[in-house]
Structures are given as structure tokens and as C-alpha cells.
Amino acid sequence: MAISKENYNVLSDIVGPEYISDDPVICEGYRSGPGGYENGLGYERVMTKIPGCVIMPSCTEEVQKIVKLCYRHNIPYVPYSTGFYGPRSHPHVEDALLIDLKRMNDFILDEKHFYVEVGPGMVYSPIQEECMSHGAYVVIGGGGAQASAIANLIGDGWSPLSHRIGLPHRRILGTEVVMPDGEILRMGSLAQGGDDAFWGESPGPDLRGLLRGYTGLRGCLGIVTRMAIKTLPFQPERLEPTGITPNTALALPEKRVKWINFVVPSKEAQVKAMKEIGHAEIGGAVTKVPLFWRAIAKSTCKEDFWDIWGKENEETVANFHIVRVLLIGFTSEEQMEYDERVLMDIMEEVGGVARRTKPSDESWIKNADSAGMWLMCGGYVSVDYVIETMSQAPEHGPVYADLKKKYTPPLMPDYGDPGWFQSFEMGHQGYSEFLVYWDLDDDTNAVDQFYVDTSKMNIENRFYTSLLGPHQPLYLTGPKYGPNYHEYLLKVKDEFDPKWMSHPPVPLSHDIFVDRAPWMENMKDWESPEDLEKRGYKS
Amino acid sequence: MANESDVRYYKPKAEFSLDITDIQNFVYDMSRCIKCKGCTWVDHTYMPGAKFMTRCPSAEKYQFDSYGAYGKMRIGHAFGEGVLDWNEKALEIIYACTLCGACDVGCKRNLDLEIELSLESLRVKAVQDGVGPMPAHKKTAENIAKNHNTYAAPHDKRKDWIADVKPADKAEVLYFVGCAASYTNKEIAQSVAKIFKAANVDFMLMPDEWCCGNTVFSVGMIDEAKALAQRNVDEMRKTGAKVLVTACAEGYRMWKVDYPKLLNISTDELGFKVLHLTEYADQLIKDGALNMNKAMNTRMTYHDACSLSRLSEPWTPYEGKRQWMGCVEPRLERRRGTNGVYEPPRDILKAVPGVNYVELPRMKENAFCCGAGRGTREAFPDLATFSAEHRLEEIKHVGVETLVTACPHCKNNFAQAIKAHGDDVQVMDIAEAICASIES
């Protein structure tokens, strides 16, 4: 049911007439695809809808009023910060209200207590610039410098800099949420009733975990309108922007910040080096560099990439082992010199050889360059994020690579590339990610099948994965990763959003996609309730 | 509203060209936008902080995604596929845009999509479909057709700016004055003439100078623009001059980029060199032919005019095939804004004695457009004013006394905003700044 004129007028009164529109051309501008993260795949084509109306609130109170009206009048709504996260952050049902949060881009830096407080419209790179100007830094997630910090932190929130700074949920401090029915929930020190967001924990259950789920719930449990994010101490010297588009980078003060690439002899040496670096508690980032990334970095355009990549083969990919380490003199030049000596000792032990490395940062410190991932093929998605042990990635990756072969083409020929991995939490954890690329003009049904097949592969091999919840069919993954993860998640959803107005039918959207898409029929070998459609959207 | 199933993918291995008269040439680019919004954010490496984060005037003012390039690409794609109908809002979205190129260079930082050409092509389509341009643009087009200038001013007054310095009848250097400096900003034309004189450079004018056609081209009136391009290039060639110099950034872009685009030739094939005054004067200064001795004791900044900076790279026609993974054959040299005219104006201003030169947080390819150009001031004065006021906030943020531009349209737009707010900032064209430091 389209939003009635009466409800439109009420919404217009809340935000002002210039910040709401149901014009079809305005709404077309909010279409999910055809390009972008996961766009061009069946999920986007089958599950996403153009919003029926778009509204742009400026503050929590306005969000609350909007949500309360939606709840009272059964208007499905979807929170939207930047829209970068592909189809899963766009409406899935007809005539939904898209709540565009970009005007809520407040920023407060508490220099004394080392945190920043932001609204959902604030993206990472300005935060990082402000932090670095005050001797602090944050992790810009792999989603990119253009990602909403709040959206990223309640979904993913990691990057190679997570080697030191810790897992994302621990960087979430005081947080304010407008719940699906419009009630306001304040977490951390904000729960005390004051306006101080400096602390993340508070009496009672820590609901930050619920906010995130495994890797985010895509707005199906309400709207985060305010969050304090912990920052960590950095070094004092300025990282100076240099160059002109498209070749821009931060010039590094070499005695305080330095990347070094090491060639190591084997995958085992790669893992050992990362573990040892973590145990020695040195470095700001420690990551594997896949050969694929190097081809991207070297190429001057899409065509150039294919020229370079076309010269590789399974052997060159399998034998390419680079560990990239970021050293930071957090406290002094002497501290960095010490770290470098320790690093060199470790590398000598594993047979690593330092290669000449540019004294600049193109990606990760301030500009996490995720957007470049679409240059080569046009279609891209990460099919898995895994936070496990350091030794899991080298075992897990090749299994992924084998499965990918079955679906190549349409997947990009990657010569058995087993993905990338890095150190988390000073080597206490390993993070790995598996990315796939395709040409949108090809028949992409196989990519949809591959996506679900990765879950089956993980289940069969008993591999842990964090792309669960709304990212995969809940009734496929939930019974295996729980054993009743799906039931709990649905109970939580029913409790907080009994009418399922907040981004329906998430978290059942992938289940419904499988049921709706004829080319997925043969993939379904698990049980799910017959009333999925009805359960996913009760209006 | 668009039919969901129809908006799908571009057909592979297709011939295409960079011809903006056919929207189908850009459906691929429009379909590959990923909403990273690199078109709107300042290059993240250069992100100055929590203020001045964006470089797209339309997105900054109107806020809805639909006004950013990411929205326009989706809307354009739907038009290209024939599944969305024009309405008033669509026209506003397509035309309430300064075509400043910020989105184009932002996108080419990562994705190499032809955003600027897509936007130009959408305007051509609006005209082809009989819905564009905006009424104010039609008035400007009538003025140009009738009086050969944008202002409806008498054509025979075009050379009234000439004062002390007289042009030669014949010279290697031809000064293309442009409508603004001929009629509303004569101080710029007079300053340019004095600069030539100070450097002992003979210069000539076109025997019968007409409007460059910036507005008609920019709003999609391709036939009118092409006729002007052909006429002006023919007239220029007839003069025998080797170098065309202009102090108008928009005119510069027309001559250097858009005339070749309209005539399907490369910039090199024009048969003469096109230079902005800043390039020409910078070389004169570096060669010792122009001495700037007089001090200007002021804290000064420079606003990059879009058409002189990120939009000014030379044009080369392209026809080819798009193949697997979107690769094109033959190889395409993309115009990414890398080689825009960024340094010459800065070198000039830094060479002025007494100047305390400071950069704005958003500079060069990341500059925020003043909002005046490419038909914006005529049809959307509120957007033009908003952009100038937004940029002025940044200008005041760095605490300068003098703002220098290299385009009369920027100067006028800033001057209006400064006057409206009573700001204590002096705005001058770079020709005036040079002139002030060479006059004894």
C-alpha cells in the first residue's frame, strides 16, 4: 500500500517539505543497482525495490517520530546511510519508506577521552583526518573511507589496521538506537541518563553484540542514530596528502610510519611471520598481499589490469607470498626503530626478504580503497569474512578456490587465488576474506548459486564463517551454526519488531530469494517453513 | 515508475563512441556506478576533516541521492533503457547541476566511468526529446542567435572595452575576449590587454567575435553549439593567428575541449594552440618577459575554476568496441583531470611580491565549484548562490583578504555573494592581480 497523503503530510511536517519526496524520479535515484556491491546478482534483481518515498531526518527525535508513524500505520521502512552496501541496504518490499540518514552527520571529538561521537551520515575519512590532527586514529573498515562509520561498525568494521586496534564491537562506546517501534534505546554510559557517551559497557546484557549479530543485521533491528567510537593513540607527525588524481597518496614520515613488504618463501612462513609479529606486539597492520592486488596497484586502467593479470597462472599465484607490515612509532622514533629490528629478526627467522616499498600510503590509513575493486570486472562481492585462528585461513582458502573453479566462468579467472588473510588482535586471531568478481553482462545465475554453495561447503567442512544471518539463507546456516541460531534471531526480531516493519523481510530475505528465484531451486536441500513470505512481511 | 525487469544490463561487445548525441554510448558507464560516492566526497586522501567534505554543489544543496551523480546515473540509465518518463523533477535534477566535473574526476580515481559525458549526453537527450533545456536557457540561446552574446547586448558594442591598449590588426596571438569580459567585466579584458603590452606581445582580436556557445552546448542544444563551434573555428583559422588566448575559463574549455568534441576532431587538429591567460602569463613570467614588481600586501587564495582545472584536458575522439569485463579496444586515454591547469595560476600568484598565499582546504581537482557556470546561474540562481556562499565559508575559514579566480563567471558569482553578506573579502580576476603587480 502506497503511503497515504495524510501520512505523507505528517512526515513532511516532521522533516520539512524539502526533505521528503515520493516523486518517481527522486525514488529512481535510490535504486540499488544495477552496479555496486552484490548488485547485478539475482538477490538484487529479485529482492530490491525502488522506495515509494524518501525522507531525510536531521536528528534522533525526527527519526523517532518517523518510525513511530510507520509503526502505527504499517509502513515498512529501511534506514540508509550511504547506500554503498549494495542491495541488502535497500528496500525489499514495494512502497517502503527509505530513511536517508545523510543529514545526520554530526561530529564531536573528545580529545581528552579519546573518542569521537558521530551520526550515521558521517563517513570515515573526515573522522580519520580529525583524529590524526589530534594524535589519534580509527580503523577505516574495508568497506572504504566512504562508508558510514556507524553502518560499518555495526556490520563489519575491520581492516589491516585491526592487527592492533581490536575487533569492531569493542570500539563501539555509548550508542543510541531508535528501536523498530520508535522507542529509544541508549547503551553504554548513555544508559545512565546523561549525555556522556564515553563508555561502551553498562549494567545488564551488552546489546552491542545484538546490534552487530555476526556481521550486521542491515537495519532490521532499528536505527542507530548516534555512536561514540573509541580512538587509539597515533604518532604526532602529519601524513601529508600528495599527488593528483588518480594517483594520490599520503606521504609518510618515515621515522614514524612505514610500510615494508617482505617476500617470504611459503604460505607457512607467511603465517608464522604474522603470528610472531603479533606475539612480539609490534606493527600497526600485518597482512598478506595477494598477487591480484599487486596487479591492481600496477595497472593504469582496466585494460592494463587484464594485460598484467593475463600473464599470471596457477603457479605464479600459488608461489606469491608477501607479508606487508605497517610500522608505527606510536611513542617515539626509537620505539619504531626497535620494532623494526624485531621485525627484521622475525623475517630473518622465516626467510623473509624486505622489498623496496614506497614511503606512502595509498590505502588503509585514511583512504581504504574499496571502490577500486569494481574496476576490473564491474561486479564484485566478498562471499565470506572469517574471523578465526591465524592458521585457519591457509586451510580454508584453497577449499574456496576449488569451489570457485566450478563456477568460473562467470566468475573471473583468478588462477586459484585462495583469498587474503591478515592478523587480528596482535595475532590472537586471523581474518580472511574471499572475494569474487564477474562481468555483469554475463549470465550471473551461477554466481548466486556459488554464493549459497559456499555456505554448504563451509558446513560440510565445519569451517566457521561470519556471513550468516541475513547474508545467507537463515534456515540453511542457522541450524548448523547454533544449532538454533535462526530461532534465536527470529525470536529477537519478533520481540523487537513484532510487526516486521524495520527492513522487511530481513533477516529472512535470502531464504525468500532462494524460494523466488527459479535458478536457485536445485540448490535448495534444506528445510524451511512454508510461510516464509508471510512471516517475512506481515503487512 | 520504471518497470523492474526492464532496467538490466548493457549488451556486451558493442561498438560505441564518446559521442554525446547518443545516450546509448553511456549506458555502460551509467550501469556501473557503485554508489561509492567518490563523485561527491573530496578524494579521501585529501579529505580536510569534518568540514568541507564534499565537492558536488548539487548533492550538497539538494541532499537527495538523486541529485548526486550516483542518482543521476540511475535515472539516466532508466532513461537510456526507456523505462522512465521525463517530468519536472527529472528536468530539475538533470539541469540543477553545474557540470563542474568533480564527479567525473572522483569516479575516475577508482572506476574510470565517463560521468561528465553521461551528464552532457543526458542534457542532449532532454533537448532531443523536446523537454529541455530550461526556459532561461532558451532565452540565452535566443540572445546568442540574435546578438551573438549571452546578454542581449548590442553586438556592435562588443569592442567597447578597448581603452588605452589597442589590439593589432594582425598578430600571432589572438585574444578571445568572451561575452563576459566584453560586456560585464571589461576590467578583465583591459587587464589582459595591459599584460600583453607589458610583455611587448602584439595581440589581435577576432574581426567579428561571437559568443563561444558555452551555455547552448552545456544545456544540450547540440545543433546550435555545433554551428557556433564551426563558425568560430573557421573564423579563427582565417585570421592566421597561431595562439588563441582567453581569460575566460569556460571559453577556454569550449575552444580546447568542446569545439573539438562537437566537430569530431582532436584538440591538436584545431590548427592553433589554445591557452588560458594563466598559462600564457606564467610562461612570460618564467621567461622574464613579464615582471611583477609591485607588491600586493594581502593574504590571498585561489579558487580553481572548473573549466580551467579538471575539465580542461585536451579532447581526442574515440570509437571502439566494449568487450568482456567492459574492456575497450582500442585503448582509451581517459581524461581524468590529472593534467588540468593547476600550477600556472598558483605559480603566478606566489610570484607576486608581498602576497601571503594560502590554499583552500578543497583545491585543484577537489575544488568546490562556485556554481555559476554551464547554464546554472541562468536557470537555477538559487543553486549558484548556494554554491558561492558555501565556497565563501571555506574562503573565510582560511582567513584570506583576497580571493583570486581565473574566470569572470566565478568572479561575478562570488562578488554577488560577498555583496549580499557584506563579507570583508576582495574578489579579483587573476588578470587584474597580474596587472596590479606589473603597473608602476
Side-chain angles (χ1 to χ4, degrees), chain A residues 18-21 23-37 39-41 44-45 48-52 54-56 80-84 90 94 100 102-103 105 107 121-123 125-126 129-130 145-146 241-250 300-304 306-307 361-362 366-367 369-372 374-378 410-413 437-442 444, chain B residues 1-5 7-13 28 30-38 41-51 53 55 59 61-67 70-79 83-93 105-106 108-112 322-332 334 336-340 342-343 363-366:
Chain A
E18 66 271 45
Y19 297 117
I20 181 169
S21 178
D23 186 285
V25 181
I26 289 283
C27 293
E28 182 73 37
Y30 284 86
R31 181 186 285 279
S32 177
Y37 190 84
N39 282 321
L41 295 182
E44 182 249 325
R45 297 197 305 273
T48 66
K49 309 289 177 194
I50 296 169
V54 180
I55 192 166
M56 294 191 288
Y80 177 100
S81 51
T82 67
F84 179 61
H90 289 74
E94 297 286 357
D100 182 343
K102 70 162 71 74
R103 292 176 67 214
N105 60 357
F107 176 84
M122 179 53 77
V123 301
S125 59
E129 176 63 25
E130 297 284 356
Q146 74 282 351
T242 59
I244 197 147
T245 191
N247 300 309
T248 57
L250 291 176
T300 56
C301 60
K302 180 197 289 264
E303 294 77 20
D304 198 28
W306 284 105
D307 287 350
D361 180 79
E362 285 76 28
K366 187 176 172 192
N367 174 43
D369 226 351
S370 61
W374 280 266
L375 175 70
M376 304 77 67
C377 305
L411 296 180
M412 172 193 140
Y437 308 83
W438 66 93
D439 183 346
L440 272 62
D441 290 329
D442 288 339
T444 60
Chain B
M1 192 172 293
N3 182 327
E4 294 287 310
S5 61
V7 185
R8 279 299 104 203
Y9 307 118
Y10 184 70
K11 311 298 181 294
K13 298 183 179 64
Y28 173 87
M30 294 190 287
S31 72
R32 260 54 179 186
C33 168
I34 64 169
K35 283 198 195 182
C36 69
K37 302 188 179 176
W41 302 116
V42 169
D43 180 330
H44 297 291
T45 300
Y46 279 93
M47 181 61 78
K51 290 179 84 173
M53 298 183 289
R55 53 178 157 178
K61 174 170 169 52
Y62 300 103
Q63 297 282 313
F64 286 109
D65 271 14
S66 319
Y67 289 85
Y70 30 97
K72 287 176 195 155
M73 291 303 104
R74 280 159 177 77
I75 293 164
H77 186 241
F79 280 133
V83 295
L84 187 67
D85 295 327
W86 288 103
N87 66 9
E88 275 187 32
K89 186 58 76 177
L91 276 180
E92 181 193 296
I93 288 168
V105 300
K108 287 172 179 160
R109 169 72 171 73
N110 286 311
L111 294 174
D112 268 342
R322 194 178 299 283
Q323 305 182 24
W324 185 65
M325 297 295 183
C327 291
V328 299
E329 184 62 41
R331 193 65 65 93
L332 170 61
R334 288 154 173 112
R336 297 173 171 138
T338 313
N339 301 304
Y342 301 112
E343 296 308 326
M363 58 174 178
K364 300 181 181 175
E365 76 271 32
N366 291 302

